[in-house]
Amino acid sequence: MARRGPRPGGADTRADILVAAERAFAEQGYDGATVRRIAATAGVDPSMINHHFGGKDELLMAVLELPMDPQPMVAAVLGASPTAPGAALLRRALAAWESGPGQLTIGMLRSSLHRDRTVGLVRQLLERRVLAPIMAEMTVPEAERPWRVSLLATQMLGLIMMRYVIRIEPLASADHDQIVTAVGPTIDRYLQGDVD
Amino acid sequence: MARRGPRPGGADTRADILVAAERAFAEQGYDGATVRRIAATAGVDPSMINHHFGGKDELLMAVLELPMDPQPMVAAVLGASPTAPGAALLRRALAAWESGPGQLTIGMLRSSLHRDRTVGLVRQLLERRVLAPIMAEMTVPEAERPWRVSLLATQMLGLIMMRYVIRIEPLASADHDQIVTAVGPTIDRYLQGDVD
DNA sequence: CTCCTATTTCATCACTTGTTGAAATAACAG
DNA sequence: CTGTTATTTCAACAAGTGATGAAATAGGAG
Protein backbone atom coordinates (compact mmCIF):
# COMPACT_ATOMS: atom_id res chain seq x y z
CA MET A 1 0.00 0.00 0.00
CA ALA A 2 1.29 3.37 -1.10
CA ARG A 3 4.83 2.34 -1.80
CA ARG A 4 7.42 4.96 -2.23
CA GLY A 5 9.27 6.04 -5.32
CA PRO A 6 7.94 7.35 -8.60
CA ARG A 7 4.45 6.25 -9.48
CA PRO A 8 4.34 3.67 -12.26
CA GLY A 9 2.85 4.74 -15.57
CA GLY A 10 3.46 8.20 -16.89
CA ALA A 11 1.48 9.78 -14.07
CA ASP A 12 1.94 13.53 -14.18
CA THR A 13 1.86 14.50 -10.56
CA ARG A 14 2.59 18.13 -11.24
CA ALA A 15 -0.41 18.47 -13.54
CA ASP A 16 -2.67 16.66 -11.09
CA ILE A 17 -1.70 19.11 -8.39
CA LEU A 18 -2.37 22.03 -10.69
CA VAL A 19 -5.93 21.06 -11.53
CA ALA A 20 -6.71 20.29 -7.90
CA ALA A 21 -5.21 23.60 -6.84
CA GLU A 22 -7.13 25.56 -9.45
CA ARG A 23 -10.45 24.24 -8.17
CA ALA A 24 -9.46 24.65 -4.55
CA PHE A 25 -8.24 28.24 -4.89
CA ALA A 26 -11.25 29.19 -7.00
CA GLU A 27 -13.78 27.68 -4.62
CA GLN A 28 -12.25 28.34 -1.24
CA GLY A 29 -9.84 31.22 -1.67
CA TYR A 30 -6.16 31.33 -0.87
CA ASP A 31 -6.44 30.77 2.86
CA GLY A 32 -9.35 28.38 2.64
CA ALA A 33 -7.55 26.13 0.22
CA THR A 34 -5.10 24.14 2.32
CA VAL A 35 -2.05 22.43 0.96
CA ARG A 36 -3.19 19.23 2.59
CA ARG A 37 -6.61 19.20 0.97
CA ILE A 38 -5.22 20.05 -2.44
CA ALA A 39 -2.76 17.19 -2.13
CA ALA A 40 -5.50 14.82 -1.01
CA THR A 41 -7.70 15.79 -3.98
CA ALA A 42 -4.80 15.24 -6.32
CA GLY A 43 -4.13 11.91 -4.65
CA VAL A 44 -0.59 12.74 -3.66
CA ASP A 45 1.38 13.56 -0.56
CA PRO A 46 1.32 17.17 0.73
CA SER A 47 5.06 17.41 0.50
CA MET A 48 4.85 16.98 -3.26
CA ILE A 49 3.65 20.55 -3.47
CA ASN A 50 6.83 21.82 -1.94
CA HIS A 51 8.87 19.46 -4.03
CA HIS A 52 7.32 20.49 -7.34
CA PHE A 53 6.48 24.13 -6.74
CA GLY A 54 8.47 25.28 -3.74
CA GLY A 55 5.55 26.19 -1.53
CA LYS A 56 1.95 27.32 -1.43
CA ASP A 57 2.70 30.79 -2.77
CA GLU A 58 4.50 29.52 -5.80
CA LEU A 59 1.69 27.07 -6.40
CA LEU A 60 -0.76 29.95 -6.56
CA MET A 61 1.49 31.75 -9.00
CA ALA A 62 1.63 28.68 -11.19
CA VAL A 63 -2.14 28.32 -11.14
CA LEU A 64 -2.69 31.98 -12.00
CA GLU A 65 -0.48 31.53 -15.02
CA LEU A 66 -3.12 29.49 -16.81
CA PRO A 67 -6.13 31.67 -17.45
CA MET A 68 -8.59 31.51 -20.30
CA ASP A 69 -7.11 33.27 -23.28
CA PRO A 70 -9.63 35.84 -24.49
CA GLN A 71 -7.59 36.94 -27.47
CA PRO A 72 -9.43 34.90 -30.15
CA MET A 73 -12.79 36.04 -28.86
CA VAL A 74 -11.75 39.67 -28.75
CA ALA A 75 -10.35 39.55 -32.25
CA ALA A 76 -13.46 37.87 -33.59
CA VAL A 77 -15.85 40.32 -31.99
CA LEU A 78 -14.04 43.56 -32.70
CA GLY A 79 -13.20 42.42 -36.21
CA ALA A 80 -16.75 41.36 -37.05
CA SER A 81 -18.89 44.17 -35.68
CA PRO A 82 -16.90 47.37 -35.78
CA THR A 83 -19.79 49.78 -35.33
CA ALA A 84 -21.48 48.36 -32.23
CA PRO A 85 -19.17 45.81 -30.65
CA GLY A 86 -20.72 46.09 -27.20
CA ALA A 87 -23.57 43.69 -27.79
CA ALA A 88 -21.41 41.01 -29.33
CA LEU A 89 -18.71 41.42 -26.72
CA LEU A 90 -21.19 41.16 -23.89
CA ARG A 91 -22.89 38.13 -25.37
CA ARG A 92 -19.67 36.19 -25.66
CA ALA A 93 -18.40 37.38 -22.31
CA LEU A 94 -21.56 36.25 -20.53
CA ALA A 95 -21.35 32.87 -22.18
CA ALA A 96 -17.69 32.56 -21.28
CA TRP A 97 -18.18 33.50 -17.64
CA GLU A 98 -20.95 31.00 -17.21
CA SER A 99 -18.95 28.14 -18.65
CA GLY A 100 -16.97 25.80 -16.42
CA PRO A 101 -13.59 27.45 -16.94
CA GLY A 102 -15.23 30.86 -16.64
CA GLN A 103 -16.64 30.10 -13.23
CA LEU A 104 -13.25 28.88 -12.17
CA THR A 105 -11.69 32.10 -13.37
CA ILE A 106 -14.21 34.16 -11.47
CA GLY A 107 -13.48 32.13 -8.38
CA MET A 108 -9.78 32.72 -8.76
CA LEU A 109 -10.36 36.41 -9.22
CA ARG A 110 -12.51 36.48 -6.15
CA SER A 111 -10.02 34.67 -4.00
CA SER A 112 -7.11 36.78 -5.20
CA LEU A 113 -8.65 40.10 -4.28
CA HIS A 114 -7.89 40.17 -0.60
CA ARG A 115 -4.14 39.70 -0.67
CA ASP A 116 -2.08 42.59 -1.94
CA ARG A 117 0.45 40.36 -3.61
CA THR A 118 -2.12 38.32 -5.48
CA VAL A 119 -3.98 41.45 -6.49
CA GLY A 120 -0.78 42.52 -8.19
CA LEU A 121 -0.79 39.27 -10.13
CA VAL A 122 -4.39 39.81 -11.14
CA ARG A 123 -3.56 43.28 -12.38
CA GLN A 124 -0.66 42.04 -14.47
CA LEU A 125 -2.73 39.23 -15.91
CA LEU A 126 -5.61 41.56 -16.67
CA GLU A 127 -3.37 44.06 -18.40
CA ARG A 128 -1.41 41.57 -20.44
CA ARG A 129 -3.97 38.93 -21.31
CA VAL A 130 -7.19 40.89 -21.53
CA LEU A 131 -6.73 44.62 -21.93
CA ALA A 132 -3.73 44.54 -24.24
CA PRO A 133 -5.43 42.26 -26.80
CA ILE A 134 -8.47 44.50 -26.80
CA MET A 135 -6.36 47.59 -27.30
CA ALA A 136 -4.59 45.94 -30.19
CA GLU A 137 -7.87 45.49 -32.05
CA MET A 138 -9.30 48.94 -31.41
CA THR A 139 -9.74 51.51 -34.14
CA VAL A 140 -9.59 54.74 -32.14
CA PRO A 141 -6.33 56.71 -31.87
CA GLU A 142 -3.75 54.80 -29.91
CA ALA A 143 -3.34 57.43 -27.23
CA GLU A 144 -6.96 57.05 -26.11
CA ARG A 145 -6.95 53.30 -25.86
CA PRO A 146 -5.67 52.77 -22.31
CA TRP A 147 -8.24 55.13 -20.90
CA ARG A 148 -11.11 53.66 -22.90
CA VAL A 149 -10.10 50.13 -22.06
CA SER A 150 -9.91 50.85 -18.36
CA LEU A 151 -13.43 52.27 -18.52
CA LEU A 152 -14.57 49.14 -20.29
CA ALA A 153 -12.97 47.10 -17.56
CA THR A 154 -14.90 48.89 -14.82
CA GLN A 155 -18.22 48.03 -16.44
CA MET A 156 -17.26 44.44 -17.16
CA LEU A 157 -15.81 43.74 -13.74
CA GLY A 158 -18.73 45.42 -12.02
CA LEU A 159 -21.06 43.22 -13.98
CA ILE A 160 -19.14 40.11 -12.95
CA MET A 161 -19.15 41.14 -9.32
CA MET A 162 -22.80 42.03 -9.09
CA ARG A 163 -24.12 39.12 -11.11
CA TYR A 164 -21.87 36.27 -10.09
CA VAL A 165 -20.33 37.15 -6.75
CA ILE A 166 -22.69 39.39 -4.82
CA ARG A 167 -25.66 38.15 -6.82
CA ILE A 168 -27.86 41.18 -6.56
CA GLU A 169 -31.37 40.87 -7.96
CA PRO A 170 -32.84 41.30 -10.50
CA LEU A 171 -29.47 41.37 -12.22
CA ALA A 172 -28.39 37.93 -11.08
CA SER A 173 -31.37 36.26 -12.76
CA ALA A 174 -31.63 38.50 -15.80
CA ASP A 175 -31.57 37.12 -19.35
CA HIS A 176 -28.52 37.71 -21.44
CA ASP A 177 -30.74 39.73 -23.77
CA GLN A 178 -31.77 42.13 -21.07
CA ILE A 179 -28.20 42.69 -20.01
CA VAL A 180 -27.00 43.13 -23.56
CA THR A 181 -29.55 45.82 -24.38
CA ALA A 182 -28.99 47.61 -21.08
CA VAL A 183 -25.20 47.51 -20.89
CA GLY A 184 -24.24 47.22 -24.56
CA PRO A 185 -24.50 50.97 -25.25
CA THR A 186 -22.20 51.65 -22.30
CA ILE A 187 -19.56 49.39 -23.78
CA ASP A 188 -19.95 50.99 -27.19
CA ARG A 189 -19.51 54.43 -25.76
CA TYR A 190 -16.43 53.46 -23.78
CA LEU A 191 -14.88 51.80 -26.82
CA GLN A 192 -15.60 54.43 -29.44
CA GLY A 193 -17.96 57.13 -28.17
CA ASP A 194 -17.44 60.41 -26.45
CA VAL A 195 -15.53 59.95 -23.21
CA ASP A 196 -13.98 63.33 -22.53
CA MET B 1 0.65 44.81 36.80
CA ALA B 2 -2.27 43.93 34.60
CA ARG B 3 -4.47 43.05 37.52
CA ARG B 4 -7.67 41.23 36.91
CA GLY B 5 -11.21 42.45 37.21
CA PRO B 6 -12.97 45.29 35.45
CA ARG B 7 -10.74 48.12 34.29
CA PRO B 8 -11.07 51.28 36.35
CA GLY B 9 -12.66 54.29 34.72
CA GLY B 10 -15.53 53.82 32.35
CA ALA B 11 -13.37 52.04 29.80
CA ASP B 12 -15.57 50.64 27.07
CA THR B 13 -13.80 47.44 26.16
CA ARG B 14 -16.44 46.38 23.69
CA ALA B 15 -16.11 49.58 21.69
CA ASP B 16 -12.32 49.38 21.74
CA ILE B 17 -12.50 45.90 20.27
CA LEU B 18 -14.90 47.06 17.58
CA VAL B 19 -12.67 49.83 16.26
CA ALA B 20 -9.62 47.59 16.33
CA ALA B 21 -11.55 44.86 14.54
CA GLU B 22 -12.85 47.21 11.87
CA ARG B 23 -9.36 48.27 10.92
CA ALA B 24 -8.00 44.77 11.10
CA PHE B 25 -10.73 43.20 8.96
CA ALA B 26 -10.55 46.03 6.44
CA GLU B 27 -6.78 45.91 6.09
CA GLN B 28 -6.05 42.21 6.41
CA GLY B 29 -9.21 40.34 5.53
CA TYR B 30 -11.10 37.87 7.65
CA ASP B 31 -8.41 35.24 7.86
CA GLY B 32 -5.54 37.67 8.03
CA ALA B 33 -7.05 39.48 10.96
CA THR B 34 -6.37 37.29 13.98
CA VAL B 35 -8.26 37.45 17.21
CA ARG B 36 -5.00 37.84 19.05
CA ARG B 37 -3.81 40.83 17.06
CA ILE B 38 -7.17 42.56 17.29
CA ALA B 39 -7.12 42.10 21.04
CA ALA B 40 -3.57 43.36 21.26
CA THR B 41 -4.43 46.48 19.26
CA ALA B 42 -7.41 47.11 21.48
CA GLY B 43 -5.20 46.61 24.52
CA VAL B 44 -7.24 43.76 25.94
CA ASP B 45 -7.02 40.03 26.40
CA PRO B 46 -7.97 37.81 23.43
CA SER B 47 -10.57 36.03 25.48
CA MET B 48 -12.51 39.27 25.78
CA ILE B 49 -13.60 38.84 22.20
CA ASN B 50 -15.27 35.57 23.03
CA HIS B 51 -16.70 37.01 26.17
CA HIS B 52 -18.22 40.09 24.53
CA PHE B 53 -19.10 38.79 21.09
CA GLY B 54 -19.12 35.02 21.29
CA GLY B 55 -16.40 34.39 18.76
CA LYS B 56 -14.62 35.71 15.71
CA ASP B 57 -17.59 35.22 13.38
CA GLU B 58 -19.94 37.19 15.57
CA LEU B 59 -17.32 39.90 15.86
CA LEU B 60 -17.28 40.26 12.09
CA MET B 61 -21.05 40.47 12.02
CA ALA B 62 -20.95 43.19 14.64
CA VAL B 63 -18.37 45.15 12.66
CA LEU B 64 -20.33 44.86 9.43
CA GLU B 65 -23.33 46.35 11.16
CA LEU B 66 -21.74 49.78 11.25
CA PRO B 67 -21.36 51.04 7.69
CA MET B 68 -21.42 54.56 6.37
CA ASP B 69 -24.97 55.67 5.84
CA PRO B 70 -25.30 56.99 2.30
CA GLN B 71 -28.91 58.05 2.62
CA PRO B 72 -28.32 61.78 3.20
CA MET B 73 -25.95 61.97 0.27
CA VAL B 74 -28.33 60.16 -2.03
CA ALA B 75 -31.24 62.33 -1.07
CA ALA B 76 -29.23 65.50 -1.56
CA VAL B 77 -27.94 64.54 -4.96
CA LEU B 78 -31.08 63.11 -6.48
CA GLY B 79 -33.16 65.90 -5.04
CA ALA B 80 -30.87 68.67 -6.27
CA SER B 81 -30.03 67.66 -9.82
CA PRO B 82 -32.95 65.68 -11.23
CA THR B 83 -31.99 65.85 -14.88
CA ALA B 84 -28.37 64.67 -14.80
CA PRO B 85 -27.69 63.17 -11.38
CA GLY B 86 -24.76 61.04 -12.60
CA ALA B 87 -22.12 63.71 -12.34
CA ALA B 88 -23.12 64.84 -8.86
CA LEU B 89 -23.50 61.29 -7.64
CA LEU B 90 -20.09 60.31 -8.93
CA ARG B 91 -18.43 63.38 -7.49
CA ARG B 92 -19.72 62.70 -4.01
CA ALA B 93 -19.11 59.00 -4.25
CA LEU B 94 -15.48 59.49 -5.25
CA ALA B 95 -14.97 61.89 -2.37
CA ALA B 96 -16.64 59.51 0.04
CA TRP B 97 -14.61 56.49 -1.04
CA GLU B 98 -11.35 58.36 -0.69
CA SER B 99 -12.13 59.53 2.82
CA GLY B 100 -10.92 57.60 5.84
CA PRO B 101 -14.19 55.79 6.54
CA GLY B 102 -14.62 55.16 2.83
CA GLN B 103 -11.32 53.37 2.55
CA LEU B 104 -12.25 51.30 5.54
CA THR B 105 -15.52 50.39 3.90
CA ILE B 106 -13.79 49.36 0.71
CA GLY B 107 -11.41 47.24 2.73
CA MET B 108 -14.30 45.55 4.48
CA LEU B 109 -16.00 44.91 1.18
CA ARG B 110 -12.82 43.47 -0.19
CA SER B 111 -12.26 41.16 2.71
CA SER B 112 -15.87 40.01 2.76
CA LEU B 113 -15.93 38.85 -0.82
CA HIS B 114 -14.30 35.50 -0.44
CA ARG B 115 -16.53 33.92 2.16
CA ASP B 116 -20.02 32.96 1.06
CA ARG B 117 -21.57 33.87 4.36
CA THR B 118 -20.02 37.30 4.51
CA VAL B 119 -20.91 37.93 0.88
CA GLY B 120 -24.51 37.38 1.93
CA LEU B 121 -24.09 40.08 4.56
CA VAL B 122 -22.62 42.44 2.01
CA ARG B 123 -25.57 41.82 -0.29
CA GLN B 124 -28.07 42.54 2.46
CA LEU B 125 -26.24 45.66 3.51
CA LEU B 126 -25.97 46.85 -0.07
CA GLU B 127 -29.65 46.31 -0.73
CA ARG B 128 -30.91 47.84 2.47
CA ARG B 129 -28.52 50.69 3.09
CA VAL B 130 -27.54 51.75 -0.41
CA LEU B 131 -29.87 50.57 -3.14
CA ALA B 132 -33.14 50.99 -1.26
CA PRO B 133 -32.46 54.66 -0.40
CA ILE B 134 -31.61 55.37 -4.01
CA MET B 135 -34.77 53.67 -5.23
CA ALA B 136 -36.82 55.71 -2.81
CA GLU B 137 -35.61 58.94 -4.39
CA MET B 138 -35.97 57.94 -8.03
CA THR B 139 -38.56 59.46 -10.32
CA VAL B 140 -39.01 56.67 -12.87
CA PRO B 141 -41.89 54.18 -12.51
CA GLU B 142 -41.47 52.03 -9.46
CA ALA B 143 -41.40 48.75 -11.38
CA GLU B 144 -38.25 49.75 -13.23
CA ARG B 145 -36.29 50.83 -10.21
CA PRO B 146 -34.75 47.56 -9.06
CA TRP B 147 -33.39 46.84 -12.50
CA ARG B 148 -32.02 50.32 -13.01
CA VAL B 149 -30.46 50.39 -9.59
CA SER B 150 -28.72 47.09 -10.08
CA LEU B 151 -27.26 48.42 -13.32
CA LEU B 152 -26.07 51.47 -11.46
CA ALA B 153 -24.48 49.21 -8.91
CA THR B 154 -22.47 47.33 -11.53
CA GLN B 155 -20.88 50.52 -12.78
CA MET B 156 -20.20 51.87 -9.32
CA LEU B 157 -18.75 48.68 -7.94
CA GLY B 158 -16.67 48.12 -11.05
CA LEU B 159 -15.27 51.60 -10.63
CA ILE B 160 -14.39 50.91 -7.02
CA MET B 161 -12.71 47.65 -7.89
CA MET B 162 -10.68 48.94 -10.78
CA ARG B 163 -9.64 52.20 -9.20
CA TYR B 164 -9.08 51.28 -5.57
CA VAL B 165 -8.50 47.55 -5.41
CA ILE B 166 -6.91 46.37 -8.64
CA ARG B 167 -5.60 49.86 -9.37
CA ILE B 168 -5.49 49.65 -13.13
CA GLU B 169 -3.94 52.58 -14.96
CA PRO B 170 -4.72 55.19 -16.15
CA LEU B 171 -7.93 54.91 -14.18
CA ALA B 172 -6.29 54.66 -10.79
CA SER B 173 -4.57 58.03 -11.18
CA ALA B 174 -7.30 59.82 -13.11
CA ASP B 175 -8.79 63.11 -11.90
CA HIS B 176 -12.27 63.10 -10.56
CA ASP B 177 -13.22 65.36 -13.45
CA GLN B 178 -12.12 62.86 -16.05
CA ILE B 179 -14.04 60.09 -14.38
CA VAL B 180 -17.12 62.20 -13.99
CA THR B 181 -17.29 63.16 -17.64
CA ALA B 182 -16.54 59.62 -18.80
CA VAL B 183 -18.82 57.67 -16.47
CA GLY B 184 -21.48 60.24 -15.62
CA PRO B 185 -23.53 59.62 -18.78
CA THR B 186 -23.58 55.91 -18.00
CA ILE B 187 -25.06 56.60 -14.59
CA ASP B 188 -27.61 58.98 -16.06
CA ARG B 189 -28.73 56.43 -18.58
CA TYR B 190 -29.05 53.68 -15.99
CA LEU B 191 -31.04 55.95 -13.71
CA GLN B 192 -33.42 57.50 -16.22
CA GLY B 193 -32.44 56.68 -19.79
CA ASP B 194 -33.36 53.91 -22.17
CA VAL B 195 -32.43 50.54 -20.70
CA ASP B 196 -34.64 48.08 -22.47
C1' DC C 1 -19.72 47.57 55.27
C1' DT C 2 -20.86 43.12 52.70
C1' DC C 3 -22.26 40.35 49.16
C1' DC C 4 -22.79 39.51 44.41
C1' DT C 5 -22.15 39.82 39.68
C1' DA C 6 -19.95 41.13 35.60
C1' DT C 7 -15.61 41.84 33.85
C1' DT C 8 -10.86 40.75 33.12
C1' DT C 9 -6.37 38.04 33.18
C1' DC C 10 -3.97 33.85 32.84
C1' DA C 11 -2.81 29.33 31.57
C1' DT C 12 -3.71 26.02 28.49
C1' DC C 13 -6.15 23.05 25.22
C1' DA C 14 -7.04 20.81 20.81
C1' DC C 15 -6.34 21.61 16.27
C1' DT C 16 -4.64 23.04 11.82
C1' DT C 17 -1.35 25.17 9.18
C1' DG C 18 2.93 25.07 5.90
C1' DT C 19 7.21 23.05 5.77
C1' DT C 20 11.25 19.91 6.32
C1' DG C 21 14.42 15.86 6.18
C1' DA C 22 15.20 11.19 5.87
C1' DA C 23 14.15 6.75 3.95
C1' DA C 24 12.33 4.03 0.10
C1' DT C 25 11.67 3.05 -4.71
C1' DA C 26 10.92 3.31 -9.81
C1' DA C 27 12.95 4.61 -14.15
C1' DC C 28 16.81 5.30 -16.81
C1' DA C 29 21.94 5.61 -18.46
C1' DG C 30 25.96 3.07 -19.06
C1' DC D 1 23.32 -5.91 -14.68
C1' DT D 2 24.73 -1.73 -11.89
C1' DG D 3 24.80 2.90 -10.30
C1' DT D 4 22.52 7.28 -10.30
C1' DT D 5 18.90 10.31 -10.05
C1' DA D 6 14.51 12.05 -9.53
C1' DT D 7 10.33 11.07 -7.47
C1' DT D 8 7.49 9.72 -3.74
C1' DT D 9 5.91 8.41 1.13
C1' DC D 10 6.30 8.94 5.89
C1' DA D 11 6.89 11.08 10.28
C1' DA D 12 7.45 14.99 12.61
C1' DC D 13 8.10 19.88 13.77
C1' DA D 14 7.43 24.72 14.95
C1' DA D 15 4.27 28.13 14.73
C1' DG D 16 0.00 29.97 15.02
C1' DT D 17 -5.08 29.50 15.29
C1' DG D 18 -9.67 30.11 17.95
C1' DA D 19 -11.54 28.74 22.05
C1' DT D 20 -12.23 27.36 27.12
C1' DG D 21 -12.38 27.32 32.17
C1' DA D 22 -10.80 28.76 36.42
C1' DA D 23 -9.09 32.32 39.42
C1' DA D 24 -8.92 37.23 40.60
C1' DT D 25 -10.97 41.78 41.12
C1' DA D 26 -13.65 46.25 40.66
C1' DG D 27 -18.02 48.35 41.17
C1' DG D 28 -22.79 48.49 42.40
C1' DA D 29 -26.87 46.61 45.33
C1' DG D 30 -28.60 45.82 49.72
Side-chain angles (χ1 to χ4, degrees):
Chain A
M1 54 286 275
R3 319 168 74 188
R4 295 177 178 177
R7 299 190 295 178
D12 193 345
T13 302
R14 204 187 139 94
D16 292 348
I17 293 177
L18 275 177
V19 316
E22 186 175 14
R23 282 202 54 158
F25 283 135
E27 289 172 2
Q28 325 183 18
Y30 181 81
D31 302 286
T34 72
V35 167
R36 291 174 141 89
R37 246 197 313 255
I38 292 172
T41 306
V44 300
D45 189 88
S47 61
M48 297 311 294
I49 285 171
N50 289 279
H51 185 38
H52 283 287
F53 297 91
K56 191 187 184 182
D57 282 26
E58 289 88 341
L59 176 60
L60 176 64
M61 312 279 181
V63 168
L64 282 180
E65 282 300 326
L66 25 104
M68 309 191 298
D69 190 357
Q71 175 139 26
M73 180 186 100
V74 168
V77 166
L78 294 187
S81 44
T83 74
L89 197 60
L90 268 173
R91 232 172 255 291
R92 309 231 189 175
L94 287 169
W97 294 333
E98 285 163 19
S99 72
Q103 288 176 308
L104 236 53
T105 303
I106 292 177
M108 290 293 315
L109 170 68
R110 199 179 149 189
S111 64
S112 306
L113 284 183
H114 83 297
R115 295 260 170 181
D116 281 344
R117 199 180 51 258
T118 53
V119 165
L121 281 177
V122 168
R123 178 175 48 241
Q124 282 182 20
L125 244 55
L126 188 65
E127 287 171 346
R128 290 213 272 260
R129 314 280 301 249
V130 183
L131 303 188
I134 295 180
M135 285 198 285
E137 302 287 337
M138 287 174 70
T139 54
V140 296
E142 197 155 356
E144 304 178 1
R145 294 182 190 173
W147 173 241
R148 303 185 96 103
V149 147
S150 64
L151 291 172
L152 166 75
T154 63
Q155 179 57 86
M156 286 294 197
L157 184 63
L159 188 54
I160 292 186
M161 284 292 161
M162 280 299 168
R163 182 172 165 93
Y164 302 111
V165 179
I166 304 190
R167 292 191 163 87
I168 208 95
E169 293 296 352
L171 181 74
S173 323
D175 303 346
H176 289 193
D177 286 342
Q178 279 183 276
I179 298 176
V180 167
T181 58
V183 181
T186 300
I187 308 293
D188 288 339
R189 198 170 67 82
Y190 288 161
L191 283 182
Q192 49 198 19
D194 225 25
V195 290
D196 49 21
Chain B
M1 49 275 297
R3 319 168 74 189
R4 296 176 178 178
R7 299 190 295 176
D12 193 344
T13 302
R14 203 187 139 94
D16 292 346
I17 293 176
L18 275 177
V19 316
E22 186 176 15
R23 282 202 54 157
F25 283 135
E27 290 173 1
Q28 325 183 19
Y30 181 81
D31 301 285
T34 72
V35 168
R36 292 173 141 87
R37 248 198 312 256
I38 292 172
T41 305
V44 300
D45 190 87
S47 61
M48 297 311 294
I49 285 171
N50 290 280
H51 184 40
H52 283 287
F53 297 91
K56 192 186 183 182
D57 281 26
E58 289 87 342
L59 175 60
L60 177 63
M61 312 280 182
V63 168
L64 282 179
E65 283 300 327
L66 22 105
M68 309 190 298
D69 190 357
Q71 176 139 25
M73 180 185 100
V74 168
V77 166
L78 294 187
S81 42
T83 75
L89 197 59
L90 268 173
R91 233 173 256 290
R92 309 231 190 176
L94 287 169
W97 294 333
E98 286 163 20
S99 71
Q103 289 176 306
L104 235 53
T105 304
I106 292 178
M108 290 291 317
L109 169 69
R110 201 179 148 188
S111 64
S112 305
L113 284 183
H114 83 297
R115 294 259 169 179
D116 280 343
R117 198 180 51 257
T118 53
V119 165
L121 282 177
V122 168
R123 178 175 47 241
Q124 282 182 20
L125 246 53
L126 189 65
E127 286 171 346
R128 290 213 271 259
R129 314 281 301 249
V130 183
L131 303 188
I134 295 180
M135 285 198 284
E137 302 288 336
M138 287 174 69
T139 56
V140 295
E142 197 156 356
E144 305 176 0
R145 295 181 190 173
W147 173 241
R148 304 184 95 104
V149 146
S150 64
L151 291 173
L152 166 75
T154 64
Q155 179 58 86
M156 286 293 198
L157 183 63
L159 188 53
I160 292 186
M161 284 292 161
M162 280 298 168
R163 182 173 165 92
Y164 302 111
V165 179
I166 305 190
R167 292 191 162 87
I168 208 97
E169 293 296 352
L171 181 73
S173 324
D175 302 346
H176 290 193
D177 286 343
Q178 279 184 275
I179 298 176
V180 167
T181 59
V183 181
T186 299
I187 307 293
D188 289 339
R189 198 170 66 83
Y190 289 161
L191 283 181
Q192 49 198 18
D194 225 26
V195 291
D196 50 21

